[in-house]
Amino acid sequence: PIIDCMIDRVEITAKAGDGGNGAVSFRREKFVPRGGPDGGDGGIGGSVVLYADPSVRTLLEIGRRRIYRADRGGHGLGSNKHGRNGEDLVLRLPVGTQVTVITEEGSEEPLGDLVEAGMKIVAVRGGKGGWGNARFATSVHQAPRIAQSGHKGEEVRLRLDLKLLADVGIVGLPNAGKSTLLTNVSAARPKIGAYPFTTLEPQLGVVDIGWERFVVADIPGLIEGAHEGAGLGLDFLRHIERTRLMIHLL
């Protein structure tokens, strides 16, 4: 069976759609022996948009593919008909996803942070459509036989990091009782066992007290040297960054 696990870091390539090509065309009508140029422009390529969706909890689905391409723009036609614009590709990501661009040289540049539900980031923009020959007509050059090719859409390599957004984070040594505490204060049911690292991924629980409600995160065991990669290392430490309060359980 396939187990839906907590995937909190993936790398993908986002490719925007290319613009459509312009058309070379001339009016062909009865009794109009010398119809002018009427080639339409190409459509604009679709963009790749990142959207913070509260119903998405992990990066598991988005990590199933490595390349995401938006729709390209349609080509221009005669009779001054412009090509259709390509549809944007919307990638739905969990709230709390941090987006980083990885350049060809290997350096990293922050692109944005989806910290609120409904936030959008345009990762790459579609290419502009090429001009049809109707655009190139002048008083001197009245029958141009040239048209413009569509511009290429942008392409970028992205790293997506999910950092949990919680009001309270429970940290402590492995097997200290963090999952047991979460079970007793919320309806969450994390795996509990009498051995270290029973919890391998962060677990979230919602606590209701009267009219108040807050989110508690059970974060995998903290051990000496975690900041240098020991144990689960930085894979769970980054989830502590955004908790408003930390409970260190002994």
Side-chain angles (χ1 to χ4, degrees):
I2 298 176
I3 300 174
D4 187 3
C5 56
M6 175 78 177
I7 303 297
D8 55 8
R9 170 173 285 182
V10 298
E11 289 187 8
I12 63 172
T13 297
K15 173 77 170 66
D18 297 337
N21 299 331
V24 175
S25 176
F26 295 90
R27 290 176 61 191
R28 293 290 183 265
E29 298 177 24
K30 194 174 183 180
F31 308 121
V32 184
R34 294 185 179 182
D38 65 353
D41 300 339
I44 302 172
S47 300
V48 177
V49 180
L50 311 179
Y51 174 75
D53 187 341
S55 67
V56 179
R57 303 309 297 267
T58 79
L59 297 172
L60 177 65
E61 286 300 321
I62 210 75
R64 294 186 190 279
R65 289 169 53 188
R66 291 301 178 208
I67 301 177
Y68 287 87
R69 301 177 187 273
D71 194 20
R72 71 164 297 151
H75 299 315
L77 300 171
S79 301
N80 288 310
K81 293 180 180 177
H82 298 325
R84 64 171 182 81
N85 293 334
E87 291 187 13
D88 291 342
L89 176 62
V90 179
L91 303 182
R92 299 181 181 277
L93 304 176
V95 178
T97 302
Q98 201 170 52
V99 186
T100 304
V101 174
I102 302 176
T103 65
E104 293 182 357
E105 296 77 25
S107 60
E108 300 179 358
E109 301 173 358
L111 180 63
D113 212 345
L114 298 170
V115 294
E116 295 180 5
M119 283 186 64
K120 292 182 180 180
I121 296 174
V122 179
V124 284
R125 298 185 183 277
K128 294 182 179 179
W131 283 2
N133 67 334
R135 295 265 198 171
F136 294 95
T138 65
S139 58
V140 176
H141 193 192
Q142 298 181 1
R145 296 184 176 275
I146 57 173
Q148 209 174 34
S149 298
H151 295 252
K152 292 288 185 182
E154 298 175 343
E155 181 175 348
V156 73
R157 187 174 162 213
L158 301 174
R159 190 182 70 221
L160 308 175
D161 283 304
L162 173 57
K163 297 185 178 181
L164 291 183
L165 296 170
D167 299 297
V168 178
I170 309 173
V171 297
L173 291 173
N175 207 31
K178 299 182 293 298
S179 297
T180 302
L181 175 59
L182 182 67
T183 300
N184 280 275
V185 299
S186 74
R189 291 295 175 263
K191 182 179 179 182
I192 297 175
Y195 50 90
F197 292 109
T198 309
T199 302
L200 295 176
E201 58 200 38
Q203 303 286 330
L204 291 177
V206 178
V207 179
D208 288 306
I209 301 178
W211 297 101
E212 298 295 326
R213 169 174 287 191
F214 58 92
V215 177
V216 177
D218 168 19
I219 297 169
L222 177 67
I223 66 172
E224 185 176 356
H227 66 289
E228 297 174 344
L232 296 177
L234 301 177
D235 286 343
F236 76 89
L237 278 179
R238 66 171 170 267
H239 293 293
I240 301 176
E241 291 182 18
R242 292 179 171 173
T243 56
R244 296 169 57 192
L245 172 72
M246 278 191 289
I247 293 179
H248 195 161
L249 185 63
L250 306 179

